[in-house]
Amino acid sequence: MRPQLGPSKAGSLEDKLLGFRGPALPGMPSAPAEKRALITGITGQDGSFLAEQLLAKGYEVYGIVRRLSTPNPQNIRHLLGTVHLLDGDLHDQASLETAIRFSEPDEIYNLAAQSFVGVSFNQPVVTGEVTGLGALRLLEAMRSRADKARLYQASSSEMFGQGVAERLNEGNGFHPRSPYGVAKVFAYWACVNYRESYGLYIANGILFNHESERRGLEFVTRKISDGVARIRHGLASDLHLGSLTSQRDWGYAPEYTDLMWRILQPTVAEDYVGATGETHSVEEFAREAFRAAGIDDWSRYIVTDRRFARPADVDHLCGDATKAKERLGWEAKVRFPELVHRMVQADLARHARTAPS
Ligand code: NDP
Ligand code: GDP
């Protein structure tokens, strides 16, 4: 029988976030949900979009939240009261098993990670522990507690690293260029191995970079949209960046969380690439962002700063999502200029609230 998640248990974590509690989402189903989903990394960019989308489909959504000295619920503030939040950490096997036992999920989405490549060079062991071994701990918890569930693993184009092909798909080999990429390759193969060894339903989404107004401020796209908005509002005078020549295949995050759900729907578990099929340089992103903010002489604001260069970098990434289009009916629709404009407009509006008039 399914253990009851008493209100005090669910409430205890939300109580800590009480100051941030938002209204219930309109249109939430009151009848018992048909399906239950458990999301690790629900407070992150992707976790928050995915939770919204699953709630809209009528899922009962559980999210694992780790203990921080100061909670950071900004991405899920509007969902508090509509999702069940459970204490847990990818370092802690028992907490993952408890979360699975309480939630009895039909679908598990492993989105939690030390997700920033730059930091992975300074904290390689933590990155390996969370991004690599953390996934393995979750697989073990699934194997012992929820072997009928379906699991999505957030794999990454960073696994391709120094890729050999112009456009990369599911058939290309991996050559990671950072501790983050190495940890993701470990998690990827652990998922394949558990699928083959135990017949579990486990699927990797090998997603290329996807961004939004909820992207962490340390990633280059958000750093640029935020920096440009600060300059526009007179809150900053320049923007320090590392390599301007790196090229990425940047898409819009909510489309990629929709792909995550689609990946778990077919009868047979398989791995899929998610990408736009277009690549642009950091310099192109910066130029487009300044244009979106109405600033023409963009290059005078850019300072090349070696502190943001990496010991090894991935110079070029471009994905081929043909399999996802043909099998899952998925295609990235938001294109580069629209993505940049959305992000810049959101940061302009955010800073307008605090900028001196
Ligand atoms: P974020 O960095 O926004 O979110 C990461 C999440 O992981 C946060 O909720 C964070 O919690 C949580 N987390 C970190 N450490 C732990 C831990 N020890 N235990 C439990 N939770 C933890 O990442 P995104 O939403 O952008 O990405 C989601 C996943 O997809 C990640 O695994 C990422 O590596 C992968 N990915 C992302 C791509 C992208 O372009 N966005 C591309 C390809 C893959 P907290 O809020 O407490 O920090
Ligand atoms: P990544 O693809 O997961 O590493 O995403 P990032 O947004 O962190 O970096 C994308 C590319 O932008 C990498 O090649 C970085 O080296 C490059 N880049 C250039 N300047 C910066 C910077 O100031 N910050 C970050 N994060 N990346 C930068």
Side-chain angles (χ1 to χ4, degrees), residues 43-46 66 72 89-90 111 115 180 184 210 215:
T43 55
Q45 171 187 258
D46 290 0
R66 65 175 167 157
N72 66 340
D89 196 302
L90 284 192
L111 310 188
S115 67
Y180 168 81
K184 283 288 185 187
H210 44 276
R215 186 61 144 152

Side-chain angles (χ1 to χ4, degrees), residues 90-91 96 110 112-115 124-140 153-154 179-191:
L90 284 192
H91 286 102
L96 301 178
N110 184 32
Q114 190 307 89
S115 67
V125 175
V126 167
T127 304
E129 271 287 346
V130 176
T131 308
L133 277 176
L136 183 62
R137 292 187 191 101
L138 191 64
L139 292 174
E140 266 303 299
Q153 166 61 18
Y180 168 81
V182 170
K184 283 288 185 187
V185 170
F186 174 87
Y188 169 92
W189 282 115
C191 287

